[in-house]
Amino acid sequence: MSTRQAELGEFGFAGDDRVVPFQVEGLDVRGRAVQLGPLINTILDRHAYPAPVARLLAEAIVLTVLIGTSLKFEGKFTVQTKGNGPVDLLVADFTTPENVRAYARFDEQAVADAVAAGRASPEELLGEGVLAFTIDQGSFMQPYQGIVPLDGTSLEDIAGVYFRQSEQIPTRVRLGAAELFDRDADGKPRRTWRAGGLIAQFLPDAPERMRQPDLHGGDGDDRDTDLHGGDDAWDEARVLVETIDADELTDPQVGIERLLFRLFHERGVRAYDPQPVYDRCSCSRERLKGVLQGFSAEEIEASSEDGKITVTCEFCSTNYDFDPAELTAA
């Protein structure tokens, strides 16, 4: 990581789809921030998700990017929700060092009914279930998975609980997504999506300063305990992060460096070189062919239609056509 100090407040220094690591030495805080533009719009537009579903998936992608770009090894980081709400599955994964893909599974009628009834908040759409964070370092390492409950709170709050329980690091996460409307070059109405987020963690040199109050003894995590961490530096940092308005996270006229400057300039914030991220799927014809070749002859026949087998990637919507004969050849 470069130690060159960024010019905070300079519009477009990092730009869209570039994660900016930062450090606030005066508060013993480190973090990452990002605004996603073309990347998030391409992913969401590819599937034409309803707006509430798109907003949920956008937040999951931002969270995945913020955490995934901090990995120091070759591998994959995945954020996945499973719930009993109208949006029963969100998946976003980040393959180091820069590739992102994501999709959502939902009941279209149930989402429409929830919107009509005014019950389309992110928490209501997800319902009760679990949020899983999975780190996969490859075939020679056992994957690590941390699981926290979906309990009617926001993704950013649940992510904070994950860090506190699994890594014992005081953490605050802010996520936001916005649907923008304008006109294209021909004057036709156009919808685009933007998203942004910030993660701040308390990492003082003295380990004992990181210690937070013990978890509640009977009813799981008590979210209020973190509000009284007892360290003035973290209390100040947390309050500053919580002042972020959702519009600031997505407004291209603010920019990440200016947002960081607004938050922490009195404490001496330093931004580092931005890291680009890209909408790139890991699917391939060869990989899918290998999976299909594991099917029995009966399964291959049952999967064939009009003399071919068509497999559509749920992430990037690419169609792959296979001749059944090539799958059964010795």
Side-chain angles (χ1 to χ4, degrees), residues 4-14 20-24 33 254-273:
R4 179 176 61 81
Q5 188 168 356
E7 294 295 330
L8 293 177
E10 179 181 345
F11 290 124
F13 181 83
V20 178
F22 67 89
Q23 181 176 0
V24 187
V254 174
I256 286 303
E257 294 84 12
R258 179 155 293 189
L259 175 58
L260 292 174
F261 183 79
R262 287 179 179 180
L263 291 173
F264 302 118
H265 68 280
E266 293 183 354
R267 287 295 194 166
V269 61
R270 174 177 297 178
Y272 297 93
D273 289 337

Side-chain angles (χ1 to χ4, degrees), residues 63 89 93 106 164 204 234 260 268 296 300 323:
L63 179 61
L89 181 69
D93 66 45
F106 62 98
R164 181 164 178 260
W234 175 238
L260 292 174
S296 66
I300 290 176
D323 184 337

Side-chain angles (χ1 to χ4, degrees), residues 198-212:
L198 179 146
I199 183 170
Q201 297 185 300
F202 185 49
L203 295 166
D205 292 332
E208 62 270 16
R209 290 181 61 207
M210 289 176 57
R211 178 173 172 79
Q212 296 292 289

Side-chain angles (χ1 to χ4, degrees), residues 118-133:
R119 294 183 283 101
S121 68
E123 297 79 15
E124 290 170 315
L125 290 178
L126 290 174
E128 295 180 353
V130 296
L131 173 63
F133 298 82

Side-chain angles (χ1 to χ4, degrees), residues 105-150:
R105 189 176 67 196
F106 62 98
D107 184 316
E108 187 171 357
Q109 186 58 54
V111 169
D113 292 343
V115 171
R119 294 183 283 101
S121 68
E123 297 79 15
E124 290 170 315
L125 290 178
L126 290 174
E128 295 180 353
V130 296
L131 173 63
F133 298 82
T134 305
I135 297 175
D136 186 351
Q137 299 185 54
S139 57
F140 299 104
M141 297 288 290
Q142 184 72 20
Y144 166 80
Q145 186 172 74
I147 297 177
V148 288
L150 293 173

Side-chain angles (χ1 to χ4, degrees), residues 232-284:
D232 291 342
W234 175 238
D235 287 344
E236 180 180 342
R238 174 184 55 77
V239 169
L240 289 172
V241 169
E242 289 174 355
T243 66
I244 298 174
D245 187 87
D247 291 341
E248 292 180 294
L249 292 171
T250 57
D251 188 347
Q253 296 304 311
V254 174
I256 286 303
E257 294 84 12
R258 179 155 293 189
L259 175 58
L260 292 174
F261 183 79
R262 287 179 179 180
L263 291 173
F264 302 118
H265 68 280
E266 293 183 354
R267 287 295 194 166
V269 61
R270 174 177 297 178
Y272 297 93
D273 289 337
Q275 177 179 342
V277 290
Y278 301 96
D279 164 36
R280 290 176 181 158
C281 189
S282 58
C283 71
S284 69

